[in-house]
């Protein structure tokens, strides 16, 4: 949904995302960014089973200042752990949350 360019800074993978179309949401509450958003993601190994993830969101059109989110990403190691199929019901997101979409002036 945008243009991602990555590079390494030491042991950290840094991915800069630009060129988004301004129609994506951050969450189901309807928080959004404009087409001017710039997101810088950082992925760093904490240990063999954990990544530290950090994203800095900068969008002067929507936010008064850049903001950051960070969280650990865990490797699943349970015995016989499986990824199961997830079937999304078509158009459910639009039906439930479409009224929260940013309105574009015509």
């Amino acid at each position: 949904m945008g243009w991602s360019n990555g590079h390494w800074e030491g042991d950290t993978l840094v991915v800069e995302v630009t060129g988004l179309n301004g129609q994506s949401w951050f969450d189901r509450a309807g928080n959004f960014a404009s087409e001017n958003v710039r997101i810088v993601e950082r992925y760093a190994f904490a240990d063999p089973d954990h990544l530290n993830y950090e994203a800095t969101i900068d969008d002067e059109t929507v936010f008064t200042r850049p903001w950051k989110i960070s969280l650990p990403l865990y490797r699943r190691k349970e015995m016989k752990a499986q990824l199961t199929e997830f079937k999304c019901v078509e158009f459910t997101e639009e039906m439930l949350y479409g009224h929260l979409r940013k309105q574009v002036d015509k």
Side-chain angles (χ1 to χ4, degrees):
M1 295 186 342
W3 186 258
S4 300
N5 286 300
H7 65 276
W8 289 95
E9 290 181 2
D11 291 337
T12 301
L13 175 61
V14 180
V15 180
E16 182 176 351
V17 182
T18 57
L20 291 146
N21 64 11
Q23 296 183 8
S24 58
W25 298 348
F26 286 117
D27 54 34
R28 291 183 175 197
N31 292 302
F32 64 93
S34 77
E35 62 278 356
N36 301 317
V37 70
R38 176 179 173 261
I39 302 169
V40 177
E41 299 176 302
R42 296 178 175 277
Y43 299 86
F45 280 106
D47 60 51
D49 298 317
H50 300 87
L51 286 175
N52 290 323
Y53 173 79
E54 176 183 286
T56 302
I57 294 88
D58 188 0
D59 186 348
E60 294 179 357
T61 304
V62 179
F63 305 109
T64 57
R65 65 183 185 276
W67 57 279
K68 207 177 267 193
I69 184 172
S70 61
L71 54 115
L73 301 174
Y74 302 96
R75 181 183 300 205
R76 301 299 301 254
K77 296 186 75 170
E78 295 87 6
M79 292 291 291
K80 299 184 181 181
Q82 296 180 1
L83 292 176
T84 58
E85 180 181 2
F86 176 78
K87 178 136 174 74
C88 183
V89 178
E90 225 176 319
F91 308 113
T92 300
E93 292 276 328
E94 180 65 26
M95 183 180 72
L96 294 173
Y97 306 109
H99 67 284
L100 298 173
R101 178 178 295 128
K102 176 180 141 183
Q103 299 298 315
V104 179
D105 296 330
K106 293 182 181 183

